[in-house]
Amino acid sequence: MQNQAGVTEFSWQETYGDVVKFKASFGMDRLLISDPKALQHILMTSGYRWRKYRERKELSRLTSGKGLLWADGNAHRRQRKVMLPGFGTPEAKNFLPLFFSCAATISRRWSDILFTSDNQSYIFNIPEWTSRATLDAIGQAAFDYDFGATDDHENELGKVYQNMLLKAFGSPSTGALVTLELFRFLPTPITEFINDHNPSPRLTSVHKVTKVANAVARELVLTKSNALLENKGKNDIMSLLVKANAGENPKAQLSDAELISQMRVLLLAGHETTANSLSWLFYELVRNVELQTKLRAEIRATEKVAAARGDPELSVRDLEGMPLLGATVKELLRYHPVAIHMFRVAHEDDVLPLSTPITTTTGEVLTELPVPKGTRTVISIPAYNRNKELFGEDAHVFNPYRWLEPNHVKKGVSLGPFANLATFSGGIRSCIGWRFAVIELQAFIVELLSNFEFTATPKIDKIRREAALVMVPTIEGELEKGSQLPLRVTFAPKGGD
């Protein structure tokens, strides 16, 4: 928990394999799992027999209320059922023009700054901008609401979310980790009371987000409800939820508190993940200039074809027709998964199937692993995504071309909704917005690479993969400055392609 994201798991995976037993606080056993069959069973086959740890649920409540990330069992089933209609393939595709529009706002801001700077070159802190732009994107797609974060640096909601996870959960102290472990022994109402009234600097940022986001959410729910009464309802996700709530079916409804929590889930999950993914993409593109050039050429060629058709903007079909773009997005989500761990506890005795037999310390060979009720597992998303059996011997190398070569990526166990990756989880708790994330990433990559060229700055060698519930780029020795990835940006060359 205190190392850079994935580092401990990679070394244990290399030494001990895909299932490792280790001791947590107070000498309690944990299983670290990255075995494909075991993960498929826990996430996809077993339903709600494997649930989130109580103390981890509490972190979800603190960061986004009692919404989809917090709920379990029947409450989760009901909440997910209400929300799913807003997240289908047609809905995601319909938001492409909106994503392009949000990306164009960054382009406009950057262009204005470049025109007035020396040599039309400027060093931008990429995460700050991607965070603001993706907040605007989720605001418009989910709530038909313009936060204006990209244009206005002083936007209150944008400001409270900036570095919130890093301030609250980055580089946890040993004391903080032990305290979190202790919460499992306390009744839930007591845990919630302690955290809601905890004045610690770490939780101050979380409490501030709760206050601001809840206020914005309440205002939006009221606006949407009034619009519905006047038959002026829109097709954004929030309007669909408010509409479902106005129906007769109690199983298709959310309480007001749940409705507000879902907004916070969408705000947190919908902008924090995409923003960090984009930052990590540009980190790779400045280290692999040839890939950046090839991607730009593919984008420009596709834009020419669209322009010849008379289309000012690319369609989803155009995006799907760019093989290198598709491969780069898959590799980004494989190599830099923003969510790092999933924590699951067995609610009944179970048997985990294994892809690779385990030889125990006593020499016994196991092809499956019996686990008693109460067994606690830590699922490592980075370790599964670097499994050499699935992704090749070069799994620890960022290589988009693996997805374009036949048989480089094995067709192993089916896991997760996208490219057999653990990045979006799988089964009943798979990321509800994964289609949005993929299309949004593609839209931002197309817009920004078409217009700008990115080059490294001297600090690129000091970038850390900081673990703060999500994986955030920071600079060695400068954690207090928040998420940082300073890159030099210039206008992309127009000729020769």
Side-chain angles (χ1 to χ4, degrees):
M1 296 298 158
Q2 293 168 317
N3 223 332
Q4 287 192 57
V7 170
T8 304
E9 294 101 298
F10 298 148
S11 80
W12 288 3
Q13 186 182 36
E14 195 66 36
T15 311
Y16 307 113
D18 292 333
V19 181
V20 183
K21 188 164 92 167
F22 69 100
K23 297 287 183 191
S25 305
F26 313 114
M28 288 187 252
D29 285 337
R30 287 279 191 286
L31 294 179
L32 177 76
I33 300 186
S34 55
D35 179 283
K37 276 189 180 173
L39 290 193
Q40 184 192 47
H41 178 82
I42 292 171
L43 297 175
M44 301 181 77
T45 314
S46 68
Y48 292 104
R49 287 182 310 203
W50 287 83
R51 301 202 180 178
K52 289 180 104 170
Y53 298 6
R54 270 183 49 203
E55 63 272 27
R56 290 281 154 183
K57 277 186 67 172
E58 173 60 4
L59 293 187
S60 299
R61 185 191 72 86
L62 279 170
T63 52
S64 56
K66 293 188 175 181
L68 206 54
L69 292 177
W70 168 88
D72 229 328
N74 289 333
H76 181 268
R77 188 181 284 117
R78 175 178 54 82
Q79 289 190 20
R80 191 175 170 95
K81 192 177 177 184
V82 175
M83 292 187 73
L84 266 176
F87 289 90
T89 304
E91 286 78 10
K93 289 180 176 179
N94 286 341
F95 286 125
L96 179 61
L98 186 151
F99 294 145
F100 271 134
S101 159
C102 291
T105 305
I106 276 203
S107 277
R108 181 171 49 75
R109 289 297 310 276
W110 283 6
S111 297
D112 290 347
I113 293 168
L114 287 181
F115 277 129
T116 57
S117 59
D118 296 341
N119 308 322
Q120 297 195 345
S121 159
Y122 192 83
I123 294 175
F124 288 103
N125 182 27
I126 301 298
E128 181 192 319
W129 287 90
T130 56
S131 178
R132 286 156 67 182
T134 54
L135 182 63
D136 283 344
I138 195 69
Q140 291 180 42
F143 317 123
D144 186 37
Y145 184 82
D146 185 6
F147 290 121
T150 311
D151 273 325
D152 173 18
H153 193 58
E154 293 305 302
N155 176 280
E156 190 179 15
L157 196 67
K159 271 169 73 177
V160 293
Y161 271 110
Q162 193 92 43
N163 290 316
M164 181 266 284
L165 291 178
L166 197 57
K167 288 175 195 164
F169 307 111
S171 297
S173 66
T174 304
L177 292 171
V178 172
T179 303
L180 181 63
E181 200 73 39
L182 284 170
F183 283 144
R184 65 182 283 202
F185 302 111
L186 295 176
T188 302
I190 292 176
T191 306
E192 292 181 359
F193 180 84
I194 290 171
N195 285 325
D196 286 343
H197 298 85
N198 187 338
S200 81
R202 278 189 177 267
L203 284 184
T204 303
S205 55
V206 178
H207 293 152
K208 203 176 280 182
V209 165
T210 301
K211 190 177 170 187
V212 175
N214 280 352
V216 171
R218 282 193 196 96
E219 189 185 323
L220 280 174
V221 170
L222 190 63
T223 307
K224 302 290 175 194
S225 302
N226 291 339
L228 194 64
L229 289 172
E230 295 168 18
N231 285 326
K232 292 178 182 170
K234 298 276 186 72
N235 277 336
D236 59 280
I237 295 159
M238 197 68 188
S239 294
L240 295 175
L241 293 181
V242 170
K243 198 173 182 179
N245 257 21
E248 299 294 317
N249 182 3
K251 288 183 180 173
Q253 291 175 353
L254 301 169
S255 69
D256 285 351
E258 285 173 340
L259 202 53
I260 285 163
S261 292
Q262 305 310 359
M263 274 201 60
R264 290 180 55 201
V265 168
L266 293 172
L267 282 170
L268 181 71
H271 103 273
E272 190 74 45
T273 49
T274 313
N276 280 304
S277 295
L278 279 169
S279 296
W280 288 116
L281 173 82
F282 292 116
Y283 170 73
E284 291 297 344
L285 290 182
V286 299
R287 298 165 80 226
N288 190 337
V289 179
E290 186 191 356
L291 174 63
Q292 185 179 158
T293 307
K294 284 184 175 176
L295 260 178
R296 187 175 294 110
E298 184 181 69
I299 291 164
R300 294 271 177 84
T302 308
E303 286 173 337
K304 278 182 184 169
V305 171
R309 284 197 316 254
D311 292 337
E313 228 167 49
L314 301 185
S315 65
V316 170
R317 187 176 291 174
D318 290 325
L319 296 180
E320 289 167 350
M322 288 191 262
L324 186 56
L325 176 67
T328 302
V329 168
K330 284 177 184 171
E331 187 68 351
L332 167 68
L333 293 169
R334 180 191 79 84
Y335 196 78
H336 292 287
V338 171
I340 312 163
H341 300 120
M342 290 178 274
F343 300 86
R344 297 289 182 268
V345 57
H347 267 236
E348 53 189 72
D349 294 348
D350 204 354
V351 177
L352 295 180
L354 299 171
S355 303
T356 311
I358 296 172
T359 305
T360 68
T361 47
T362 57
E364 188 185 357
V365 177
L366 304 176
T367 54
E368 55 183 28
L369 191 64
V371 289
K373 178 181 176 179
T375 298
R376 291 182 151 225
T377 62
V378 180
I379 293 169
S380 172
I381 296 172
Y384 167 85
N385 281 359
R386 306 250 190 128
N387 187 307
K388 291 179 181 177
E389 294 294 317
L390 294 176
F391 301 106
E393 281 302 312
D394 64 343
H396 285 282
V397 176
F398 184 87
N399 171 23
Y401 302 103
R402 78 177 70 249
W403 299 96
L404 303 175
E405 296 163 7
N407 305 322
H408 195 127
V409 176
K410 305 288 186 297
K411 288 275 186 288
V413 169
S414 175
L415 188 85
F418 182 73
N420 239 16
L421 298 172
T423 309
F424 294 116
S425 186
I428 50 174
R429 294 204 80 103
S430 61
C431 170
I432 200 169
W434 71 270
R435 292 182 187 87
F436 282 68
V438 171
I439 291 175
E440 185 180 359
L441 280 170
Q442 289 173 324
F444 273 91
I445 294 166
V446 164
E447 170 69 25
L448 296 179
L449 271 190
S450 181
N451 291 296
F452 304 103
E453 192 164 54
F454 298 80
T455 48
T457 59
K459 289 193 170 178
I460 197 79
D461 296 327
K462 291 186 170 182
I463 296 295
R464 283 174 54 86
R465 297 157 66 91
E466 205 70 54
L469 293 192
V470 295
M471 185 174 74
V472 181
T474 61
I475 291 174
E476 189 76 50
E478 296 185 16
L479 186 65
E480 72 289 347
K481 291 185 182 174
S483 182
Q484 286 192 87
L485 177 63
L487 298 181
R488 184 168 292 283
V489 178
T490 52
F491 288 114
K494 289 291 179 195
D497 49 29

